[in-house]
Amino acid sequence: MLMLFLVALASATLLPGGSEVWLARLWCQGEPGWWLWGVASVGNTLGSLVNVGLGRYARHFQDRRWFPVSRGGLERAERWYLRFGEWSLLAAWAPLIGDPLTVLAGILRLPWWRAILLIAVAKGARYALVLWLAEAWLAPLCA
């Protein structure tokens, strides 16, 4: 379980990870689905909150030459985020766009309680879907 938590946490940061595979593997080994869902959801939500914190802190360095995003790129991202609003964090579960969304939420100083709520809903829904798919497709293979 600890490994699932750590993989889920790391997967939500800018680091690569495969928490869904760990979740499905443990489910196949007979671990309780509700427990797996909770551990993975909490770990992945905390990992995304690390991104939010990094975004809040990164804003201080936006004028440095080494900053990874140009001023124009940051302005485009801010316009996009402001257009779709904080509700875009419900896509925080999605590959490729989820991590940048959480960093952007930090840069734009979304209140912590809203970030936690929206990210937790998104991550919890993703792991519920993974468990549902495991039940539907993996159950015959787990024996």
Side-chain angles (χ1 to χ4, degrees), residues 56-108:
R56 285 175 165 257
Y57 188 68
R59 190 69 183 230
H60 300 296
F61 300 106
Q62 71 184 24
D63 294 326
R64 305 275 171 86
R65 201 172 75 215
W66 53 264
F67 193 71
V69 180
S70 69
R71 180 176 295 284
L74 187 57
E75 288 172 1
R76 279 191 304 278
E78 287 177 355
R79 280 195 306 273
W80 182 89
Y81 186 82
L82 292 173
R83 179 177 175 201
F84 293 102
E86 62 196 40
W87 295 104
S88 63
L89 278 180
L90 291 174
W93 64 269
L96 302 177
I97 65 166
D99 295 343
L101 280 174
T102 57
V103 172
L104 194 54
I107 289 172
L108 295 175

Side-chain angles (χ1 to χ4, degrees), residues 14-132:
L14 299 176
L15 299 171
S19 58
E20 297 85 1
V21 173
W22 277 91
L23 180 76
R25 183 179 144 270
L26 291 171
W27 179 83
C28 248
Q29 292 175 349
E31 296 290 341
W34 63 271
W35 183 246
L36 294 170
W37 174 84
V39 169
S41 297
V42 169
N44 211 243
T45 298
L46 289 175
S48 288
L49 292 175
V50 167
N51 290 346
V52 173
L54 289 172
R56 285 175 165 257
Y57 188 68
R59 190 69 183 230
H60 300 296
F61 300 106
Q62 71 184 24
D63 294 326
R64 305 275 171 86
R65 201 172 75 215
W66 53 264
F67 193 71
V69 180
S70 69
R71 180 176 295 284
L74 187 57
E75 288 172 1
R76 279 191 304 278
E78 287 177 355
R79 280 195 306 273
W80 182 89
Y81 186 82
L82 292 173
R83 179 177 175 201
F84 293 102
E86 62 196 40
W87 295 104
S88 63
L89 278 180
L90 291 174
W93 64 269
L96 302 177
I97 65 166
D99 295 343
L101 280 174
T102 57
V103 172
L104 194 54
I107 289 172
L108 295 175
R109 301 249 179 230
L110 180 67
W112 280 106
W113 72 270
R114 281 193 245 168
I116 293 167
L117 179 65
L118 292 168
I119 292 168
V121 166
K123 302 299 185 156
R126 174 171 98 205
Y127 288 115
L129 177 63
V130 169
L131 287 168
W132 180 78

